[in-house]
Amino acid sequence: MTSEIKNKLNNLKNKEGRKKFLIEIACIAFGTIVGIATYVLCLYTNFAIFGWNFGLVLSPLFAGYAESFVAKRYLHESTGAVSAFILFIITVIYGFIIANPTLGFNVITAGSIVIIIQAAFPTAMNYFLIAMGLGIVSHLSGVFKKITKFFTGLYERIFKKESKVKKAYQQKQIYGERQINHRYDFYDMELNMNDLGVRLLTLEYPPEGLKIKEQKGIYISRHIFSSNRTEEIKEGLEDQLEENVLIGVKLAQDKAILKLIKELKADGCNGIMNLEIIFDTVGPKKGDNVNQVFLKGTGVVFEEDGI
Amino acid sequence: MLLSSTSTLDNKTIIKYHGLVHGESLIGSNIYKDLFSGVRDVVAGRTSTYEEDLDGARNEAIEAIEAKAKEYGANGIIGLKISYNNLGGTMGNTILVSVYGTAVTYKD
């Protein structure tokens, strides 16, 4: 690689070498222009299926083809389809960042990325796809699992002890359960918020049978929480994800209600009207999310002899 | 169990306010479910299983608050509010369905 660069630089010293270099640049530029024109045409004619534009694949292909065509004609050798790579960068930046900055990650976008990379790096991607295909077949048929199980069993039989992998897996399971139980064992899940001396009402209008003596104004409360999902996925605890997130949500909500009740009681309120509970995502981290539960309502003083 | 989004019940007399009841349910926090949601939407069209999941989650949350209201001895929930919230998630698709209201006992 270094010697190739050195040769190229040495060639630039003579007239013939410089001429060849300029033709190579012209070929790459021609390929790039053809690619951009293809992409623009595909965007203009909306040549797309399910919102996915064919220009993402066609433009690098046409760019590479056009570049190779002129390179073979004038240089009698390939320039390495550099324009296909340039088009790959242009289409990805435009299609995925500028035009669709909020594009989510799903099977369609994942497939698009694979196809675009395939167009830019055909040989490397083919090897990768073959390896991936074998991996999927092995996973579905369980061949790889059977092979590793066979060797694990062989190891256990020969050395008369459990393999480190098996031991680590068992430890992980025990650790996972303990971690989940430990995380919430300080909190009384059966705590009844309606028994704490403040009437929590979602009603907009004054309730029948209850007389409001005084309105104390708006009261708000919030609690910010994160669900640490990345850690749980790493620990192999995907099955418990939903349950854990729900417990986290309940915990956050109860904490916010408790804060609200504390404030209301401090101001002499014995009720809250038009109570609203709002959940929101306040700032995503990588994998995890920081969420907030936000409560608002109007603090009131009810007459004690109400229903 | 009578569910109402209004603050009062016409032609009925509320005899007790039990307070706040809330229920939550979640869909889509599973990384594999999220990954295949795109395919499911394409294959099944607009009325996809994803929509069924959303309806199922809402019903689950409503069942949860009905159960809590019954624990208080209530026979109705008024001022009912339902909200769908995106909690983000590994693939950006964790939907929390939150249902809450005021549990009451009423008589006709």
Side-chain angles (χ1 to χ4, degrees):
Chain A
M1 186 74 182
T2 323
S3 60
E4 273 181 35
I5 295 166
K6 274 181 185 172
N7 283 339
K8 285 262 180 198
L9 289 172
N10 284 333
N11 288 341
L12 287 177
K13 286 173 186 169
N14 57 62
K15 198 181 170 185
E16 200 62 32
R18 280 198 295 275
K19 190 184 169 188
K20 192 185 168 193
F21 179 71
L22 286 173
I23 295 171
E24 281 175 347
I25 296 290
C27 292
I28 293 167
F30 178 72
T32 307
I33 290 164
V34 169
I36 290 171
T38 310
Y39 190 47
V40 169
L41 196 69
C42 288
L43 288 176
Y44 183 72
T45 56
N46 195 23
F47 187 32
I49 181 166
F50 298 125
W52 185 80
N53 199 296
F54 279 97
L56 291 167
V57 162
L58 293 180
S59 55
L61 280 177
F62 280 23
Y65 181 77
E67 181 192 321
S68 301
F69 182 79
V70 289
K72 284 215 170 129
R73 188 182 174 104
Y74 294 105
L75 292 169
H76 307 291
E77 61 180 60
S78 171
T79 44
V82 179
S83 57
F85 180 69
I86 294 169
L87 254 294
F88 162 69
I89 293 169
I90 291 171
T91 51
V92 166
I93 289 174
Y94 180 78
F96 287 84
I97 298 169
I98 297 170
N100 293 302
T102 56
L103 200 66
F105 186 77
N106 55 38
V107 165
I108 304 295
T109 47
S112 309
I113 291 165
V114 171
I115 294 168
I116 295 160
I117 297 171
Q118 159 80 16
F121 313 99
T123 316
M125 271 308 287
N126 283 344
Y127 284 123
F128 178 74
L129 288 175
I130 289 167
M132 206 170 77
L134 286 173
I136 291 168
V137 170
S138 148
H139 177 74
L140 293 175
S141 62
V143 173
F144 186 69
K145 211 172 182 179
K146 279 175 194 166
I147 295 168
T148 49
K149 211 174 174 183
F150 170 75
F151 282 110
T152 313
L154 203 66
Y155 175 85
E156 283 177 25
R157 276 201 297 278
I158 295 167
F159 297 102
K160 305 285 180 201
K161 62 178 180 181
E162 276 187 349
S163 70
K164 280 181 184 174
V165 177
K166 198 172 173 182
K167 213 182 267 180
Y169 177 76
Q170 283 168 352
Q171 277 176 352
K172 193 173 76 179
Q173 296 298 311
I174 296 162
Y175 170 71
E177 280 172 24
R178 274 186 195 158
Q179 190 191 37
I180 285 159
N181 293 335
H182 177 69
R183 197 185 298 170
Y184 306 116
D185 62 3
F186 67 93
Y187 183 70
D188 178 12
M189 286 288 182
E190 302 302 317
L191 181 68
N192 186 357
M193 297 294 168
N194 293 309
D195 276 353
L196 300 177
V198 175
R199 285 178 189 269
L200 304 167
L201 303 176
T202 59
L203 316 177
E204 287 174 40
Y205 303 107
E208 51 181 295
L210 281 173
K211 281 185 184 163
I212 297 171
K213 275 203 297 192
E214 190 185 353
Q215 286 193 343
K216 292 269 190 183
I218 193 161
Y219 282 80
I220 58 166
S221 164
R222 76 153 61 82
H223 189 79
I224 290 175
F225 62 103
S226 170
S227 45
N228 290 322
R229 276 161 276 185
T230 317
E231 281 307 309
E232 283 160 343
I233 289 166
K234 275 185 205 160
E235 293 290 332
L237 302 170
E238 293 95 336
D239 295 344
Q240 290 148 337
L241 271 179
E242 288 196 355
E243 195 187 330
N244 288 341
V245 175
L246 268 182
I247 293 171
V249 164
K250 181 181 160 35
L251 208 64
Q253 192 168 253
D254 285 357
K255 279 180 180 175
I257 294 172
L258 284 172
K259 281 182 205 169
L260 193 70
I261 289 173
K262 206 174 166 185
E263 275 188 42
L264 287 162
K265 277 189 155 180
D267 290 349
C269 298
N270 61 2
I272 185 161
M273 294 281 301
N274 199 15
L275 178 66
E276 285 185 46
I277 303 171
I278 301 151
F279 288 92
D280 213 350
T281 306
V282 288
K285 288 193 287 177
K286 195 179 178 185
D288 295 348
N289 274 80
V290 181
N291 306 303
Q292 75 163 349
V293 53
F294 177 76
L295 271 69
K296 65 170 179 168
T298 304
V300 292
V301 182
F302 288 116
E303 281 183 1
E304 294 296 333
D305 56 346
I307 54 174
Chain B
M1 181 71 62
L2 179 66
L3 303 177
S4 171
S5 60
T6 55
S7 298
T8 53
L9 293 173
D10 283 343
N11 303 321
K12 289 178 174 57
T13 311
I14 292 169
I15 52 175
K16 190 166 176 61
Y17 290 92
H18 298 280
L20 179 74
V21 278
H22 57 87
E24 295 81 29
S25 73
L26 204 67
I27 57 161
S29 73
N30 186 312
I31 188 171
Y32 304 111
K33 265 194 208 168
D34 282 358
L35 195 66
F36 288 101
S37 64
V39 167
R40 286 194 299 171
D41 285 347
V42 169
V43 172
R46 200 173 161 274
T47 324
S48 64
T49 43
Y50 210 76
E51 285 184 358
E52 285 169 20
D53 283 355
L54 283 170
D55 291 345
R58 189 194 58 222
N59 292 337
E60 208 176 288
I62 290 173
E63 279 169 23
I65 59 162
E66 280 181 344
K68 279 176 196 167
K70 275 179 190 165
E71 278 178 28
Y72 288 126
N75 58 359
I77 299 168
I78 59 172
L80 186 77
K81 291 181 173 74
I82 303 172
S83 64
Y84 291 83
N85 315 277
N86 192 339
L87 292 188
T90 317
M91 294 288 183
N93 266 337
T94 304
I95 311 289
L96 173 77
V97 184
S98 170
V99 180
Y100 60 96
T102 304
V104 294
T105 304
Y106 69 88
K107 63 176 183 182
D108 290 316

